[in-house]
Amino acid sequence: MQQRLQALRSRSGFQRSQKNLMAHIKGWAVSTHSVRQLELTPKLFDLVVIDEASQCSIPSVLPLLFRARRALIIGDPMQLGHIPGVSPQQEQRARARAGLSAAQLEHHRLTYHVYSSYHAAEQHGDSALLLDEHYRCHPRIADIVNGYCYAGQLQVLTDVRRQVPAVDPAGAADPAPALGWVDVPRGESALGGNGRSWRNRAEAEAVRRVVDALLERLPQDATVGVVTPFRAQKEALARVWRDDDRVRVGTVHAFQGGQRDVMVLSPVATHNTPPRTTHWVASQVNLWNVAVTRAKSQLITVGAHGFWQGQSGLPTLLAERSALLGADIDEAEGRWWRPRRRPGSARNSPTGSSSTSPSAGSPTWSGRRWSAATRWTCCSPRPGRTRRS
């Protein structure tokens, strides 16, 4: 009982301190999870800005909107949405208990599994504005998603003179293309250890060689990212550079909001992948949009080039516009280029063995829209966010 009383006193003191601070601090930054720490008072803020709204579920922003006189919603519906926390069946039962029909929720864009807070705000906001200036990606990279996802409405204003120059990991192409593709025609996909995700060992090994070669040829301060749609492939690759801060490995969801000088994309799917899985990957426009636009100066895809050319959608467009790299591959033995070795440097292999290899501006608003419905607060769906995608 004493502990509960002490907790209540502490909470009360915190709220009193918060009220005193409100008079002096005009801007507050919180996540959707930490908003509960703010005083539950209607119209507490003159303006609430919700960033990355396409990643926020509708219920998660209600506590913020309750505290707002006005709201400014910023998001990109062509990027990844929120991950639902309940099943469609649970949503259906909750809707029935509330006496609501599916048509009602659909009309207002409030269906939990289908729409984000951005969609709901776009439907009911006073006006919308496309933030059409793009500053991150090399123009050749940005042009892919500009035409396919944004109907060519973006103005690509990237200053390539300030970017890290693209390099050919095989050292053959000079100048190197901003969009490159390393063909892995004989790779095969297989289920990962949990039987729920996919990996491609040949593709992972090729990714390792590409990244090691990039680290040798890029400036020391350049950053490299390795992205894949499948968790099993990510887990196989993550241990290779776990001690190298220059390399970040993740799924596409983990990379949303991030950027690297050079991105290496491992799509995994190939000729033996089940058609259902291939169709799912190829049809995820939002996922490919995010994967492509994490790259600033160069995007290198490592996978079965001919296979992806025969698919449809954005990955096929990427295959068509990417220049083939690594012309000196020895397909008979599956060997590729061998980066110059530096004594004493070892790198883990994604297949479990070790190998020797070298050791190691302005905000981007592309595709975002403002939906507009003085003291203000800014909210992001995840704590610790410092970059916009």
Side-chain angles (χ1 to χ4, degrees):
M1 179 61 71
Q2 290 297 325
Q3 289 179 338
R4 291 178 63 86
L5 289 172
Q6 185 176 357
L8 288 171
R9 294 191 193 102
S10 175
R11 179 67 178 171
S12 176
F14 174 78
Q15 290 182 344
R16 285 197 301 270
S17 299
Q18 188 182 101
K19 287 182 180 179
N20 294 333
L21 287 172
M22 281 287 189
H24 304 284
I25 300 177
K26 301 300 182 181
W28 293 68
V30 298
S31 72
T32 53
H33 300 293
S34 60
V35 65
R36 68 189 67 180
Q37 299 178 29
L38 297 176
E39 182 184 358
L40 186 61
T41 301
K43 300 180 180 180
L44 181 65
F45 295 101
D46 297 312
L47 175 66
V48 168
V49 180
I50 300 178
D51 191 17
E52 297 281 13
S54 61
Q55 289 191 73
C56 299
S57 68
I58 295 167
S60 70
V61 303
L62 293 180
L64 286 156
L65 297 179
F66 177 79
R67 294 169 169 86
R69 292 180 182 273
R70 295 182 302 140
L72 181 62
I73 313 300
I74 306 172
D76 183 354
M78 294 307 300
Q79 295 198 14
L80 295 171
H82 70 281
I83 299 176
V86 299
S87 68
Q89 293 76 21
Q90 289 174 309
E91 181 184 8
Q92 184 179 10
R93 290 194 293 268
R95 173 171 53 77
R97 287 195 300 269
L100 297 171
S101 68
Q104 287 176 304
L105 296 181
E106 176 68 26
H107 176 71
H108 294 286
R109 294 191 180 180
L110 295 176
T111 307
Y112 178 70
H113 274 81
V114 179
Y115 298 114
S116 67
S117 60
Y118 173 84
H119 294 107
E122 185 182 37
Q123 178 79 347
H124 300 283
D126 296 333
S127 60
L129 172 67
L130 174 68
L131 301 175
D132 59 0
E133 296 181 352
H134 179 95
Y135 292 95
R136 170 188 292 156
C137 301
H138 188 285
R140 290 188 179 275
I141 299 173
D143 283 347
I144 291 182
V145 297
N146 188 14
Y148 196 91
C149 300
Y150 304 106
Q153 297 180 84
L154 302 185
Q155 299 182 56
V156 182
L157 304 175
T158 309
D159 186 355
V160 297
R161 297 169 299 179
R162 302 179 62 182
Q163 290 190 325
V164 172
V167 299
D168 181 355
D174 187 19
L179 285 171
W181 193 294
V182 173
D183 193 17
V184 187
R186 300 187 180 184
E188 292 188 352
S189 62
L191 284 171
N194 60 5
R196 299 175 60 185
S197 184
W198 292 86
R199 56 183 172 82
N200 186 320
R201 287 192 175 185
E203 198 171 289
E205 188 63 27
V207 168
R208 182 190 62 79
R209 291 192 290 266
V210 167
V211 173
D212 284 350
L214 287 171
L215 293 176
E216 181 182 75
R217 290 175 168 86
L218 287 168
Q220 285 296 316
D221 58 349
T223 57
V224 178
V226 179
V227 64
T228 176
F230 294 98
R231 182 173 297 276
Q233 186 80 340
K234 174 260 177 182
E235 290 174 350
L237 288 166
R239 60 174 175 262
V240 181
W241 302 280
R242 59 174 175 260
D243 298 322
D244 195 331
D245 293 337
R246 297 173 66 194
V247 182
R248 178 186 174 191
V249 181
T251 61
V252 182
H253 283 81
F255 263 102
Q256 178 151 311
Q259 61 182 8
R260 309 295 275 185
D261 292 312
V262 180
M263 290 295 301
V264 178
L265 169 60
S266 174
V268 176
T270 188
H271 303 282
N272 75 317
T273 306
R276 181 177 179 181
T277 301
T278 298
H279 175 74
W280 177 84
V281 178
S283 64
Q284 298 298 305
V285 177
N286 296 44
L287 183 143
W288 285 90
N289 181 25
V290 172
V292 168
T293 55
R294 300 311 91 195
K296 295 169 66 177
S297 63
Q298 188 177 24
L299 171 65
I300 299 176
T301 306
V302 180
H305 187 256
F307 171 79
W308 286 106
Q309 279 187 314
Q311 302 306 310
S312 61
L314 208 147
T316 300
L317 182 63
L318 178 62
E320 292 173 350
R321 295 195 184 180
S322 298
L324 283 173
L325 302 173
D328 58 342
I329 184 171
D330 182 352
E331 291 189 10
E333 299 186 21
R335 288 198 300 265
W336 202 26
W337 67 74
R338 189 187 302 272
R340 293 186 299 276
R341 295 180 179 178
R342 189 172 301 168
S345 60
R347 188 83 65 191
N348 293 322
S349 167
T351 58
S353 60
S354 63
S355 62
T356 303
S357 64
S359 59
S362 48
T364 303
W365 296 102
S366 64
R368 292 171 179 263
R369 299 174 184 270
W370 299 68
S371 294
T374 121
R375 180 185 296 155
W376 61 275
T377 186
C378 180
C379 175
S380 173
R382 297 189 303 273
R385 290 197 10 89
T386 58
R387 287 195 180 273
R388 296 181 172 88
S389 58

